[in-house]
């Protein structure tokens, strides 16, 4: 099967999945990778994980989508959009994975959710749209509580990741609507890998070539970069950034779940109530968004 067939097959498969299902798959993949990546922190640290993840993901995406310079040149402003997406991805990854070193994954994912939540709140046009957003805020408060002291530096890094992720959602939405397939995404991830290379190589050195490190990084790249970002791109072609932002409110729940299953990070019962509230907010936002599109 040639690469064009791979891309066509992937597009055909995801085209049959409802947009909320695409976002759910993306959320689970991202949080699984975040929980699995600490296995190689002792060897390469967060900078090395980020560099390898982005590099492997970028190469795989380029093999699948085979980006061409003339395709990007033919769309006005496409290069600036792609460069912007790549820059935000690099900053988000470095901040997120550094934050995971200092505070639990569930807390990082919860704070990161404030980015897309801000998009959801800013894009609201009806009073009813604020209901799931408020419910999600209550869930975030419960999930972030529990009496466990959180490192201020980790909180600051998670806040940076939230801002970068919100920016990436907006830029990626523009990229998804202006460029066909995943050509822009593939180039953006490669740009992110190049931007993170100096920090990653300086920190990890030759440990980046360790077979065990490469194997874990490849798994993380596929599970939390190649598949999620491809799914996100397709979802953003069908739903506005506001609805996408609220749907990703499942990230705190997924982060807490994978943190428990893989890292053994237990949560108190108020935090599990927060997970339920955030999940319910996501479901409510899905139905309200669908109703708004039908009305339009």
């Amino acid at each position: 099967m040639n690469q064009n067939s791979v891309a066509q097959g992937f597009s055909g498969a995801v085209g049959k999945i409802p947009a909320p299902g695409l976002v759910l798959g993306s959320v689970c993949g991202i949080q699984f990778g975040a929980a699995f990546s600490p296995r190689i922190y002792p060897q390469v640290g967060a900078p090395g994980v980020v560099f390898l993840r982005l590099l492997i993901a970028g190469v795989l995406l380029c093999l699948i989508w085979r980006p061409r310079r003339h395709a990007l040149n033919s769309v006005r402003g496409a290069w600036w959009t792609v460069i912007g997406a790549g820059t935000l991805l690099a900053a988000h990854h470095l901040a997120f994975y550094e934050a995971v070193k200092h505070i639990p994954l569930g807390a990082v994912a919860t704070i990161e959710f404030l980015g897309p939540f801000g998009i959801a709140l800013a894009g609201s046009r009806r009073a009813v749209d604020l209901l799931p957003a408020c419910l999600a805020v209550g869930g975030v408060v419960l999930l972030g509580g529990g009496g466990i002291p959180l490192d201020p530096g980790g909180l600051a890094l998670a806040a940076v990741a939230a801002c970068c992720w919100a920016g990436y959602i907006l830029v990626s939405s523009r990229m998804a609507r202006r460029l066909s397939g995943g050509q822009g995404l593939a180039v953006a991830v490669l740009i992110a890998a190049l931007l993170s290379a100096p920090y990653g190589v300086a920190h990890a050195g030759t440990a980046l070539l360790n077979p065990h490190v490469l194997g874990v990084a490849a798994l993380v790249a596929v599970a939390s970069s190649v598949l999620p970002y491809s799914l996100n791109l397709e979802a953003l072609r069908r739903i506005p950034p506001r609805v996408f932002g609220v749907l990703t409110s499942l990230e705190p729940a997924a982060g807490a779940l994978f943190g428990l299953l893989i890292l053994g990070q237990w949560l108190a019962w108020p935090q599990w109530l927060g997970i339920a509230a955030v999940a319910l907010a996501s479901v409510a936002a899905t139905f309200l968004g669908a109703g708004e599109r039908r009305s339009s």
Side-chain angles (χ1 to χ4, degrees):
M1 181 180 290
N2 58 42
Q3 302 301 334
N4 284 334
S5 298
V6 172
Q8 292 171 2
F10 178 83
S11 298
V14 300
K16 301 175 182 178
I17 302 174
L22 296 177
V23 179
L24 177 60
S26 169
V27 165
C28 290
I30 289 173
Q31 296 305 321
F32 168 80
F36 200 77
S37 59
R39 293 172 179 263
I40 54 176
Y41 273 13
Q43 292 97 326
V44 297
V49 171
V50 169
F51 169 58
L52 285 177
R53 168 184 167 174
L54 290 172
L55 179 62
I56 295 172
V59 171
L60 291 176
L61 286 168
C62 285
L63 290 175
I64 294 173
W65 294 108
R66 298 173 63 182
R68 294 289 183 268
R69 185 191 304 176
H70 65 81
L72 275 72
N73 289 339
S74 63
V75 179
R76 184 177 181 180
W79 277 108
W80 287 112
T81 302
V82 171
I83 292 172
T87 303
L88 288 167
L89 270 181
H92 167 266
H93 280 51
L94 289 171
F96 185 94
Y97 281 88
E98 287 286 358
V100 171
K101 289 171 50 180
H102 301 286
I103 58 178
L105 176 60
V108 177
T110 299
I111 297 169
E112 184 199 34
F113 164 70
L114 296 178
F117 167 74
I119 295 176
L121 189 62
S124 297
R125 295 184 178 87
R126 305 174 303 171
V128 70
D129 292 329
L130 297 177
L131 294 178
C134 291
L135 182 60
V137 168
V140 167
V141 171
L142 287 171
L143 189 58
I148 301 175
L150 299 179
D151 178 73
L155 291 173
L157 288 167
V160 172
C163 294
C164 293
W165 188 236
Y168 174 76
I169 290 174
L170 295 175
V171 175
S172 182
S173 176
R174 176 185 176 92
M175 184 171 65
R177 287 173 169 79
R178 300 192 68 184
L179 298 171
S180 62
Q183 294 191 65
L185 174 65
V187 176
V189 175
L190 269 186
I191 290 174
L194 291 175
L195 291 175
S196 65
Y199 189 36
V201 173
H203 188 279
T206 57
L208 294 169
L209 303 178
N210 183 290
H212 171 69
V213 169
L214 289 173
V216 173
L219 176 61
V220 172
V222 173
S224 57
S225 289
V226 176
L227 290 178
Y229 294 148
S230 298
L231 296 179
N232 281 347
L233 199 68
E234 180 61 29
L236 284 166
R237 290 192 173 101
R238 307 186 206 171
I239 55 178
R242 176 184 58 81
V243 178
F244 179 88
V246 180
L247 283 171
T248 55
S249 62
L250 285 171
E251 285 212 22
L257 180 60
F258 285 112
L260 172 63
L261 296 177
I262 298 177
L263 299 176
Q265 297 172 339
W266 292 87
L267 298 173
W269 67 266
Q271 294 172 308
W272 287 111
L273 286 179
I275 291 174
V278 171
L280 182 59
S282 179
V283 173
T286 301
F287 282 104
L288 288 174
E292 181 180 353
R293 289 193 298 274
R294 285 194 295 269
S295 299
S296 300

